[in-house]
Amino acid sequence: MILLIDDDDALRAALVDSFAIAGLEVEDFADAAHALTRVTPDFPGIVVTDIRMPKMDGHAVFEAVSARDDEIPVLLMTGHGDVAMAVAALRNGAFDFIAKPFAADHLIASVRRGLEVRRLVLENRRLRASVEAAEGDYPLIGTTPVMDTLRDKVRQLAQIDVDVLIEGETGTGKELAARQLHRWSKRRNHGFVSVDCAALPDHLVDEILFGTRGTGGRIVEADRGTLFLDEIDSMSSALQGKLLRVIEERELPANGREPPRVVNLRVIAAAKSNLAAEVASGRFREDLLYRLETVRLRIPPLRERRADVPMLFAWFLRDAATQYDRPVPAITAEVEARLMTDPWRGNVRALRNFAVQTVLALTRDDPGEADLSLTERLARLEAAMIGEALQQAGGDVTATAEALGLPRRSLYDRLQRHGIDASSFRRREGDAA
């Protein structure tokens, strides 16, 4: 949206026509006071105003707009005699000025830049607000249907003292989900004991897990709490057999003269591979799988919930800024494009790393970004704009095509080219738009 203010009726009408031909929405006003009634802190556009006007000149318009929201771009149109005033306004925060006479395409190019700046400002504000609203959902942040379902399932399972098998790719946050199960459960006042099965040294496995005479192992530490077995698919066959008895009997085997020890714990296991396939190949015990999979919980990769990526990234930005005592940086168009197009093979872990790099201003050193051609950068920007439109439309392809001014077939071609799944942006019935 453009608010155009100029007391010259002929010039104002010509500019309205130019904006309309360029596909830009505009409201025009002959006086500034009337136009300013449309300016609110969430105004989704920019102000284009002449400087020389009766009652209220462009400089006063700029000050009035800035008082309402100093991040609304104000573009000044000025005659040669007013350039000094326009330059002073630029120093004070005005977005740009155009000296008369000017070519319409010059003005339109500046207006488009201003609209993009405003869009990014409002998107950053929206993300900050959504992050604050999601405070209680951490670490299960997201508004996509798949995350709504996961959150609901975790809340339900937390109240049921049943073992859970969590499946998901590397970096999806399986341990975070396990910790949330514990945090929301009746066992939350007791220990959450995490064991990385892939890192257990073979010669110390028994001692670490089951303990020795007189000393308890990690299983004993989890008594009355939760035992989390990460990457259980990496556990040796022999150890799987010993663990099976503990899970079935909730009892540690006798150790020397010490009798078997009863343990009261909840077991949550996590695997990055398909355990059914591991059973078929003989690498995992079928009876242990049956015991673990009382309830399965799958953590979706980021590619299946791409609409959640900006919110997650905003959360990680804030977290990294606090950790390193830096200001929270705004999300730029280039960063936004990467958020919407990167495959994020490392999932949440990779996204968090990118947030840290952004806070520390290290992203320019990324050779993958620096080596991008103009065509590749434009492709990323196009994908980001499509993703933003899909998010606003709740995954509705028809509404997205209309918002972008594209035929449906053309939009489908672009979705396929960029690898964007429109269904991942869909909201459940009743979700806020």
Side-chain angles (χ1 to χ4, degrees):
M1 167 61 70
I2 305 163
L3 293 187
L4 173 63
I5 309 171
D6 197 313
D7 61 330
D8 184 329
D9 294 340
L11 177 59
R12 194 174 69 254
L15 291 177
V16 168
D17 288 342
S18 296
F19 288 140
I21 292 170
L24 299 173
E25 185 180 358
V26 59
E27 286 188 35
D28 64 297
F29 302 88
D31 67 283
H34 189 196
L36 289 173
T37 62
R38 298 280 288 110
V39 179
T40 59
D42 59 351
F43 174 65
I46 70 170
V47 175
V48 178
T49 180
D50 191 19
I51 281 190
R52 291 277 180 160
M53 295 185 297
K55 297 182 181 178
M56 191 176 203
D57 64 17
H59 190 70
V61 169
F62 166 63
E63 291 181 341
V65 171
S66 296
R68 288 167 169 79
D69 183 346
D70 61 5
E71 291 185 297
I72 295 177
V74 176
L75 192 154
L76 303 170
M77 299 181 294
T78 175
H80 291 296
D82 299 319
V83 169
M85 182 186 295
V87 171
L90 283 179
R91 293 196 186 102
N92 291 327
F95 178 73
D96 198 1
F97 77 90
I98 304 289
K100 299 177 182 177
F102 51 78
D105 57 352
H106 186 190
L107 175 63
I108 288 171
S110 183
V111 164
R112 289 191 189 280
R113 289 196 302 273
L115 290 170
E116 175 63 8
V117 166
R118 184 58 177 169
R119 185 190 70 79
L120 287 170
V121 164
L122 294 179
E123 177 65 6
N124 275 276
R125 290 181 184 175
R126 184 189 69 79
L127 288 174
R128 285 195 294 270
S130 64
V131 164
E132 292 172 3
E135 193 85 38
D137 293 331
Y138 181 79
L140 304 177
I141 295 175
T143 59
T144 52
V146 68
M147 284 306 293
D148 288 339
T149 300
L150 177 62
R151 243 185 339 264
D152 291 345
K153 194 169 184 179
V154 168
R155 288 187 184 278
Q156 293 171 12
L157 289 176
Q159 303 306 313
I160 306 170
D161 210 22
V162 64
D163 294 340
V164 178
L165 174 62
I166 301 177
E167 298 174 308
E169 297 176 6
T170 297
T172 49
K174 296 185 290 294
E175 180 170 351
L176 292 174
R179 288 185 180 275
Q180 199 67 5
L181 277 169
H182 175 76
R183 191 175 298 122
W184 285 342
S185 77
K186 296 176 182 178
R187 295 178 178 270
R188 58 183 171 272
N189 294 326
H190 301 284
F192 177 90
V193 178
S194 178
V195 178
D196 184 353
C197 299
L200 287 174
D202 292 340
H203 62 291
L204 294 177
V205 166
D206 282 352
E207 181 179 341
I208 291 173
L209 277 182
F210 302 100
T212 59
R213 275 184 284 184
T215 62
R218 301 290 281 165
I219 294 176
V220 171
E221 291 176 21
D223 193 20
R224 302 174 67 196
T226 301
L227 176 67
F228 175 59
L229 300 170
D230 196 12
E231 296 201 33
I232 196 170
D233 41 334
S234 302
M235 189 175 281
S236 69
S237 179
L239 185 56
Q240 290 173 32
K242 293 182 179 180
L243 184 62
L244 176 62
R245 176 180 174 180
V246 174
I247 295 175
E248 285 183 332
E249 306 295 336
R250 291 302 196 267
E251 182 181 89
L252 287 171
N255 193 339
R257 295 182 179 179
E258 294 182 6
R261 175 169 179 170
V262 175
V263 286
N264 173 10
L265 49 79
R266 180 184 202 176
V267 177
I268 301 176
K272 63 180 182 298
S273 59
N274 185 323
L275 288 185
E278 294 293 293
V279 168
S281 65
R283 289 189 294 268
F284 200 82
R285 292 181 62 125
E286 187 173 26
D287 48 2
L288 179 57
L289 173 59
Y290 288 154
R291 188 61 187 82
L292 289 172
E293 67 171 359
T294 304
V295 174
R296 285 175 179 258
L297 196 63
R298 179 177 177 271
I299 312 298
L302 285 184
R303 65 178 176 276
E304 292 181 11
R305 54 184 188 111
R306 188 169 286 278
D308 290 332
V309 170
M311 183 192 295
L312 270 170
F313 184 71
W315 177 280
F316 293 145
L317 273 185
R318 189 180 70 170
D319 188 57
T322 300
Q323 180 181 352
Y324 296 103
D325 194 24
R326 299 286 185 91
V328 179
I331 296 176
T332 64
E334 187 174 33
V335 168
E336 183 183 51
R338 179 171 174 183
L339 293 179
M340 300 308 297
T341 58
D342 196 294
W344 301 114
R345 294 185 177 87
N347 290 294
V348 175
R349 189 176 299 153
L351 189 65
R352 182 190 291 274
N353 289 343
F354 180 48
V356 171
Q357 293 164 11
T358 303
V359 166
L360 298 179
L362 300 177
T363 52
R364 290 184 181 178
D365 296 331
D366 182 352
E369 289 292 308
D371 294 342
L372 288 178
S373 67
L374 176 60
T375 301
E376 291 167 326
R377 288 175 183 269
L378 288 173
R380 283 194 169 190
L381 182 58
E382 179 182 72
M385 294 179 68
I386 291 173
E388 173 71 15
L390 279 168
Q391 187 168 1
Q392 294 296 326
D396 186 323
V397 174
T398 300
T400 301
E402 290 176 356
L404 294 172
L406 292 172
R408 276 171 57 93
R409 183 171 180 177
S410 178
L411 177 57
Y412 276 120
D413 288 342
R414 285 169 166 80
L415 291 175
Q416 184 175 14
R417 184 190 315 152
H418 296 301
I420 298 174
D421 179 9
S423 65
S424 68
F425 293 85
R426 288 176 190 152
R427 293 185 288 264
R428 293 188 308 180
E429 186 176 350
D431 283 351

